[in-house]
Amino acid sequence: MIIAIDGPAAAGKSSAAKNLAKRLGYLYLDSGALYRAIAWKLLQEKINPESQADVEAASQLIEIDLRLKGEQTEIWVHGVDATPSLRQPEVTRVSSIISTYPGVRKKLLSIQRSIGSEGGVVMEGRDIGTVVFPEADVKFYLDATTPVRGLRRHQELEQKGIPSDLEKTTREIEERDLKDSRRHVAPLKKSEDAIVIDSTPLNLDEVIAQMVQEVEKKLETRQQGSIQKLK
Ligand code: CDP
């Protein structure tokens, strides 16, 4: 099966997707890390992220290599492990600018589709259920209120040793969500057939429990479908 998880920033998509994939023995892909990898490389090469033509041309040449290390996926760019730098605020800011460019999205679309082509994958991002895998077997839209997401992101950054100011971090995710939902190509939006989970009052285990229940439901209906066919 292909499981798609979309939603705004810091709604808990990565943790949920990672855990769900582990429970199911599936591959996990954080598609945002691909946008961040491009952003990271552009920053290294001092390419102006506001220049769409320069970014689109440069991004075609960026070699991204995903290496699975246990439950972690390392993102290597031109032979360098970029993973430790991908959550830096500057990389975050640039990733949201360059993700509005069709040339960047097209490049990453083919990487994402080739990873998911065999199924057995939990992929999370903004457009997985709408654009990358519109035929995904189960789609979730994970949300939470802005203050809760702001606090979660603030705590996550502090834990990683990245200095964060709660108010600024909350404002940053709000601005990024706005940009992600207003862009013309593959905007952040709930797919019509997505199951909405509001994680505001839930902890991670509760979110995963709901997801597992929905996946099991899907598997059961499928099994019943094939039994019907045999009859
Ligand atoms: O972890 P967080 O939710 O803050 O962000 P992320 O998933 O790492 O994504 C970083 C940025 O990449 C987003 O703000 C989007 O602009 C872009 N992105 C996208 O456009 N489409 C995706 N499928 C995933 C990320």
Side-chain angles (χ1 to χ4, degrees), residues 93-107:
R93 187 184 72 78
V94 171
S95 69
S96 119
I97 300 172
I98 57 115
S99 70
T100 61
Y101 303 150
V104 172
R105 301 204 72 86
K106 199 169 161 214
K107 176 190 172 91

PDB file of all heavy atoms in Angstrom, residues 93-107:
ATOM      1  N   ARG A  93      13.578  28.372   5.490  1.00  0.00           N
ATOM      2  CA  ARG A  93      13.063  29.563   4.805  1.00  0.00           C
ATOM      3  C   ARG A  93      13.223  29.408   3.283  1.00  0.00           C
ATOM      4  O   ARG A  93      12.282  29.618   2.528  1.00  0.00           O
ATOM      5  CB  ARG A  93      13.843  30.803   5.293  1.00  0.00           C
ATOM      6  CG  ARG A  93      13.305  32.126   4.802  1.00  0.00           C
ATOM      7  CD  ARG A  93      14.197  33.274   5.249  1.00  0.00           C
ATOM      8  NE  ARG A  93      15.480  33.316   4.543  1.00  0.00           N
ATOM      9  CZ  ARG A  93      15.649  33.789   3.313  1.00  0.00           C
ATOM     10  NH1 ARG A  93      14.635  34.300   2.653  1.00  0.00           N
ATOM     11  NH2 ARG A  93      16.844  33.779   2.746  1.00  0.00           N
ATOM     12  N   VAL A  94      14.412  28.979   2.870  1.00  0.00           N
ATOM     13  CA  VAL A  94      14.671  28.861   1.434  1.00  0.00           C
ATOM     14  C   VAL A  94      13.851  27.712   0.820  1.00  0.00           C
ATOM     15  O   VAL A  94      13.348  27.820  -0.302  1.00  0.00           O
ATOM     16  CB  VAL A  94      16.189  28.702   1.166  1.00  0.00           C
ATOM     17  CG1 VAL A  94      16.470  28.353  -0.283  1.00  0.00           C
ATOM     18  CG2 VAL A  94      16.923  29.981   1.560  1.00  0.00           C
ATOM     19  N   SER A  95      13.645  26.636   1.576  1.00  0.00           N
ATOM     20  CA  SER A  95      12.881  25.504   1.025  1.00  0.00           C
ATOM     21  C   SER A  95      11.462  25.948   0.674  1.00  0.00           C
ATOM     22  O   SER A  95      10.897  25.515  -0.327  1.00  0.00           O
ATOM     23  CB  SER A  95      12.859  24.320   1.996  1.00  0.00           C
ATOM     24  OG  SER A  95      12.088  24.626   3.133  1.00  0.00           O
ATOM     25  N   SER A  96      10.910  26.850   1.466  1.00  0.00           N
ATOM     26  CA  SER A  96       9.533  27.262   1.178  1.00  0.00           C
ATOM     27  C   SER A  96       9.474  28.202  -0.039  1.00  0.00           C
ATOM     28  O   SER A  96       8.460  28.244  -0.731  1.00  0.00           O
ATOM     29  CB  SER A  96       8.901  27.848   2.444  1.00  0.00           C
ATOM     30  OG  SER A  96       8.520  29.173   2.309  1.00  0.00           O
ATOM     31  N   ILE A  97      10.567  28.903  -0.324  1.00  0.00           N
ATOM     32  CA  ILE A  97      10.595  29.760  -1.527  1.00  0.00           C
ATOM     33  C   ILE A  97      10.729  28.882  -2.782  1.00  0.00           C
ATOM     34  O   ILE A  97       9.941  28.972  -3.710  1.00  0.00           O
ATOM     35  CB  ILE A  97      11.780  30.766  -1.480  1.00  0.00           C
ATOM     36  CG1 ILE A  97      11.658  31.672  -0.251  1.00  0.00           C
ATOM     37  CG2 ILE A  97      11.868  31.582  -2.768  1.00  0.00           C
ATOM     38  CD1 ILE A  97      12.864  32.577  -0.002  1.00  0.00           C
ATOM     39  N   ILE A  98      11.714  27.979  -2.745  1.00  0.00           N
ATOM     40  CA  ILE A  98      12.008  27.222  -3.970  1.00  0.00           C
ATOM     41  C   ILE A  98      10.943  26.151  -4.291  1.00  0.00           C
ATOM     42  O   ILE A  98      10.831  25.691  -5.409  1.00  0.00           O
ATOM     43  CB  ILE A  98      13.428  26.597  -3.935  1.00  0.00           C
ATOM     44  CG1 ILE A  98      13.597  25.695  -2.699  1.00  0.00           C
ATOM     45  CG2 ILE A  98      14.490  27.687  -3.876  1.00  0.00           C
ATOM     46  CD1 ILE A  98      13.790  24.283  -3.022  1.00  0.00           C
ATOM     47  N   SER A  99      10.150  25.802  -3.263  1.00  0.00           N
ATOM     48  CA  SER A  99       9.104  24.793  -3.510  1.00  0.00           C
ATOM     49  C   SER A  99       7.955  25.366  -4.333  1.00  0.00           C
ATOM     50  O   SER A  99       7.075  24.624  -4.759  1.00  0.00           O
ATOM     51  CB  SER A  99       8.575  24.234  -2.194  1.00  0.00           C
ATOM     52  OG  SER A  99       7.823  25.217  -1.527  1.00  0.00           O
ATOM     53  N   THR A 100       7.975  26.676  -4.582  1.00  0.00           N
ATOM     54  CA  THR A 100       6.915  27.263  -5.418  1.00  0.00           C
ATOM     55  C   THR A 100       7.267  27.167  -6.907  1.00  0.00           C
ATOM     56  O   THR A 100       6.441  27.470  -7.744  1.00  0.00           O
ATOM     57  CB  THR A 100       6.697  28.766  -5.068  1.00  0.00           C
ATOM     58  OG1 THR A 100       7.915  29.477  -5.315  1.00  0.00           O
ATOM     59  CG2 THR A 100       6.313  28.967  -3.616  1.00  0.00           C
ATOM     60  N   TYR A 101       8.511  26.751  -7.217  1.00  0.00           N
ATOM     61  CA  TYR A 101       8.938  26.730  -8.619  1.00  0.00           C
ATOM     62  C   TYR A 101       8.637  25.373  -9.285  1.00  0.00           C
ATOM     63  O   TYR A 101       9.111  24.325  -8.817  1.00  0.00           O
ATOM     64  CB  TYR A 101      10.450  27.006  -8.722  1.00  0.00           C
ATOM     65  CG  TYR A 101      10.888  28.314  -8.106  1.00  0.00           C
ATOM     66  CD1 TYR A 101      12.159  28.462  -7.547  1.00  0.00           C
ATOM     67  CD2 TYR A 101      10.038  29.420  -8.070  1.00  0.00           C
ATOM     68  CE1 TYR A 101      12.573  29.659  -6.977  1.00  0.00           C
ATOM     69  CE2 TYR A 101      10.436  30.630  -7.503  1.00  0.00           C
ATOM     70  CZ  TYR A 101      11.707  30.733  -6.956  1.00  0.00           C
ATOM     71  OH  TYR A 101      12.110  31.917  -6.395  1.00  0.00           O
ATOM     72  N   PRO A 102       7.894  25.407 -10.407  1.00  0.00           N
ATOM     73  CA  PRO A 102       7.526  24.146 -11.074  1.00  0.00           C
ATOM     74  C   PRO A 102       8.720  23.267 -11.428  1.00  0.00           C
ATOM     75  O   PRO A 102       8.642  22.041 -11.308  1.00  0.00           O
ATOM     76  CB  PRO A 102       6.811  24.607 -12.338  1.00  0.00           C
ATOM     77  CG  PRO A 102       6.351  26.000 -12.063  1.00  0.00           C
ATOM     78  CD  PRO A 102       7.316  26.592 -11.080  1.00  0.00           C
ATOM     79  N   GLY A 103       9.841  23.883 -11.864  1.00  0.00           N
ATOM     80  CA  GLY A 103      11.012  23.083 -12.262  1.00  0.00           C
ATOM     81  C   GLY A 103      11.562  22.270 -11.104  1.00  0.00           C
ATOM     82  O   GLY A 103      11.993  21.125 -11.283  1.00  0.00           O
ATOM     83  N   VAL A 104      11.537  22.854  -9.920  1.00  0.00           N
ATOM     84  CA  VAL A 104      12.030  22.153  -8.720  1.00  0.00           C
ATOM     85  C   VAL A 104      11.067  21.004  -8.387  1.00  0.00           C
ATOM     86  O   VAL A 104      11.477  19.866  -8.140  1.00  0.00           O
ATOM     87  CB  VAL A 104      12.153  23.128  -7.520  1.00  0.00           C
ATOM     88  CG1 VAL A 104      12.479  22.385  -6.240  1.00  0.00           C
ATOM     89  CG2 VAL A 104      13.183  24.218  -7.815  1.00  0.00           C
ATOM     90  N   ARG A 105       9.792  21.310  -8.417  1.00  0.00           N
ATOM     91  CA  ARG A 105       8.793  20.291  -8.040  1.00  0.00           C
ATOM     92  C   ARG A 105       8.834  19.112  -9.012  1.00  0.00           C
ATOM     93  O   ARG A 105       8.699  17.956  -8.614  1.00  0.00           O
ATOM     94  CB  ARG A 105       7.384  20.891  -8.002  1.00  0.00           C
ATOM     95  CG  ARG A 105       7.230  22.053  -7.033  1.00  0.00           C
ATOM     96  CD  ARG A 105       5.792  22.223  -6.583  1.00  0.00           C
ATOM     97  NE  ARG A 105       5.375  21.174  -5.677  1.00  0.00           N
ATOM     98  CZ  ARG A 105       5.568  21.188  -4.374  1.00  0.00           C
ATOM     99  NH1 ARG A 105       6.130  22.198  -3.784  1.00  0.00           N
ATOM    100  NH2 ARG A 105       5.170  20.162  -3.638  1.00  0.00           N
ATOM    101  N   LYS A 106       9.025  19.424 -10.311  1.00  0.00           N
ATOM    102  CA  LYS A 106       9.041  18.366 -11.316  1.00  0.00           C
ATOM    103  C   LYS A 106      10.193  17.397 -11.057  1.00  0.00           C
ATOM    104  O   LYS A 106      10.028  16.185 -11.112  1.00  0.00           O
ATOM    105  CB  LYS A 106       9.180  19.000 -12.703  1.00  0.00           C
ATOM    106  CG  LYS A 106       8.757  18.101 -13.803  1.00  0.00           C
ATOM    107  CD  LYS A 106       8.649  18.851 -15.111  1.00  0.00           C
ATOM    108  CE  LYS A 106       8.693  17.857 -16.249  1.00  0.00           C
ATOM    109  NZ  LYS A 106       9.359  18.385 -17.413  1.00  0.00           N
ATOM    110  N   LYS A 107      11.343  17.949 -10.739  1.00  0.00           N
ATOM    111  CA  LYS A 107      12.505  17.101 -10.465  1.00  0.00           C
ATOM    112  C   LYS A 107      12.218  16.185  -9.271  1.00  0.00           C
ATOM    113  O   LYS A 107      12.474  14.991  -9.306  1.00  0.00           O
ATOM    114  CB  LYS A 107      13.724  17.979 -10.171  1.00  0.00           C
ATOM    115  CG  LYS A 107      14.950  17.155  -9.789  1.00  0.00           C
ATOM    116  CD  LYS A 107      16.072  18.020  -9.275  1.00  0.00           C
ATOM    117  CE  LYS A 107      17.199  17.186  -8.728  1.00  0.00           C
ATOM    118  NZ  LYS A 107      18.225  16.869  -9.719  1.00  0.00           N
TER     119      LYS A 107
END
